């Protein structure tokens, strides 16, 4: 088996489960065993083994120990792996917000926390990682019109806490591509929009953050679709993943063809503008809100 110590950022529970699941799969295959063989060792169905390897369920420690023994792992190796499995089963920092957090979004925050590179395409709103408190409140108020003030406050707090990953020592690279329409959509009023544009201008000066604005003049283009986020990780076990959403559903894509299609779309969109042009557009829009 491989060294079970994940790299920086891999401690996010869902991401860590993905890494350990992949390593369990590699260990099984390295031992020359099938899903059926592993299932017989635990007296479970092959589907249970598959779900463990796909990180679709928590890692039961007794299952992990028995599987590793079956695959021929040694005592210290099992002990280190079990320690990581226990960490992977711990609640993430976002757990206290679960009452105002859709269940499907837990995976997103975990991926966001563990990624080395994030690329986003936003046709409607400023990406959550760069929203100001006022802008975030207005967006969330529109998305959850029936929320009371306490729940709304907690949603805003969660969104702002997510932004701390951009100021940590091992901050990921963030590359945002947004439509000019985002800047014309008046969210929260002119003052909120002016503050939000200031935030985008400040963020664009950071070494690890890029903000590109695709102007109306770009016309029709490949990115005229739903918003999406592309995640890339340091850990070799993790594939590149794309998240996208529509009004009533969300989807996580890790098939190479799907991921490449979104990555190419992001690349093409970025060619529709430049950093200098984007900053000029942001400054022009800021004046309009002054």
């Amino acid at each position: 088996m491989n060294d079970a110590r994940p790299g920086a950022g891999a401690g996010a529970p869902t991401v860590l489960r993905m890494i350990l699941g992949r390593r369990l799969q590699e260990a099984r295959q390295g031992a020359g065993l099938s899903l059926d063989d592993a299932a017989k060792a635990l007296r479970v169905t092959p589907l249970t083994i598959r779900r463990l390897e796909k990180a679709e369920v928590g890692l039961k420690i007794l299952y992990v120990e028995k599987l590793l023994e079956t695959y021929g792992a040694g005592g210290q190796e099992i002990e280190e792996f079990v320690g990581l499995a226990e960490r992977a089963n711990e609640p993430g920092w976002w757990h206290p917000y679960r009452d105002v957090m859709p269940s499907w979004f837990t995976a997103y925050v975990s991926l966001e926390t563990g990624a080395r590179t994030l690329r986003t395409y936003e046709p409607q709103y400023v990406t959550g990682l760069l929203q100001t408190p006022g802008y975030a409140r207005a967006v969330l108020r529109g998305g959850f019109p029936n929320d009371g003030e306490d729940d709304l406050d907690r949603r805003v707090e969660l969104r702002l806490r997510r932004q701390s990953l951009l100021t940590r020592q091992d901050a990921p690279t963030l590359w945002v591509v947004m439509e000019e329409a985002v800047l014309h959509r008046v969210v929260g009023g002119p003052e909120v929009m002016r503050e939000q544009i200031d935030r985008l201008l400040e963020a664009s000066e950071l070494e690890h953050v890029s903000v590109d604005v695709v102007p109306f003049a770009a016309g029709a283009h490949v990115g005229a679709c739903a918003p999406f986020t592309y995640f890339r990780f340091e850990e070799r076990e993790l594939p590149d993943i794309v998240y996208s959403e529509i009004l009533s559903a969300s989807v996580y894509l890790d098939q190479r063809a799907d991921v490449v299609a979104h990555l190419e779309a992001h690349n093409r969109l970025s060619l529709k503008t430049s950093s200098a042009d984007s900053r000029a557009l942001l400054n022009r829009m800021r004046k309009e809100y002054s």
Side-chain angles (χ1 to χ4, degrees):
M1 287 179 64
N2 302 295
D3 183 359
R5 291 170 296 178
T14 299
V15 171
L16 187 50
R17 278 202 299 271
M18 291 172 64
I19 294 171
L20 297 180
R22 292 285 177 119
R23 294 182 182 179
L24 281 175
Q25 181 182 36
E26 291 177 355
R28 174 178 59 78
Q29 294 172 341
L33 300 177
S34 66
L35 289 171
D36 287 336
D37 295 330
K40 289 177 182 177
L42 292 185
R43 297 184 179 180
V44 297
T45 67
L47 178 60
T48 297
I49 304 299
R50 182 181 295 277
R51 295 186 69 191
L52 282 170
E53 294 180 352
K54 295 293 185 181
E56 295 175 354
V57 293
L59 294 166
K60 292 185 178 181
I61 302 303
L62 291 178
Y63 282 7
V64 169
E65 291 176 331
K66 181 62 176 179
L67 287 175
L68 293 175
E69 290 173 359
T70 302
Y71 303 156
Q76 182 177 352
E77 194 171 16
I78 293 175
E79 183 178 345
E80 291 177 355
F81 199 105
V82 166
L84 289 173
E86 290 173 340
R87 280 182 51 201
N89 289 333
E90 294 174 356
W93 65 260
W94 52 88
H95 187 69
Y97 299 95
R98 62 192 182 282
D99 57 324
V100 293
M101 187 176 180
S103 57
W104 52 263
F105 197 61
T106 300
Y108 182 95
V109 178
S110 179
L111 295 174
E112 184 180 73
T113 302
R116 278 307 317 150
T117 299
L118 299 101
R119 293 193 185 194
T120 71
Y121 167 67
E122 293 287 350
Q124 301 291 341
Y125 299 104
V126 172
T127 185
L129 288 178
L130 297 181
Q131 290 180 7
T132 64
Y135 189 96
R137 176 172 292 275
V139 170
L140 290 166
R141 169 59 73 197
F144 300 92
N146 298 320
D147 265 7
E149 288 303 312
D150 288 345
D151 284 347
L152 183 61
D153 287 344
R154 287 171 55 72
R155 291 188 194 278
V156 173
E157 184 179 338
L158 169 62
R159 182 155 299 186
L160 298 181
R161 282 199 62 184
R162 286 170 47 209
Q163 297 178 4
S164 65
L165 69 87
L166 294 178
T167 56
R168 72 190 189 197
Q169 187 173 3
D170 61 338
T173 298
L174 173 65
W175 185 356
V176 177
V177 174
M178 68 176 68
E179 298 287 349
E180 182 180 345
V182 172
L183 304 179
H184 289 271
R185 185 182 300 279
V186 184
V187 175
E191 183 176 351
V192 170
M193 290 301 297
R194 187 169 62 251
E195 292 176 349
Q196 180 59 71
I197 291 175
D198 283 342
R199 169 64 178 139
L200 292 173
L201 287 166
E202 292 170 2
S204 68
E205 295 178 354
L206 298 174
E207 184 177 354
H208 59 290
V209 177
S210 298
V211 178
D212 289 339
V213 183
V214 180
F216 287 141
H221 55 72
V222 69
C225 59
F228 66 83
T229 301
Y230 161 93
F231 303 96
R232 171 164 287 180
F233 307 89
E234 283 185 340
E235 294 76 22
R236 63 172 184 76
E237 296 91 344
L238 296 180
D240 294 350
I241 296 173
V242 168
Y243 164 87
S244 187
E245 64 182 41
I246 56 176
L247 180 62
S248 58
S250 62
V251 62
Y252 294 88
L253 307 169
D254 63 2
Q255 295 300 309
R256 181 167 177 78
D258 295 325
V259 172
V260 169
H262 285 79
L263 187 58
E264 290 180 349
H266 198 277
N267 287 335
R268 289 174 184 154
L269 284 164
S270 68
L271 296 176
K272 297 287 185 179
T273 185
S274 68
S275 296
D277 289 341
S278 295
R279 288 188 63 83
L281 179 53
L282 287 167
N283 279 305
R284 186 166 68 250
M285 289 301 302
R286 188 191 186 284
K287 291 179 181 177
E288 291 193 16
Y289 288 116
S290 297

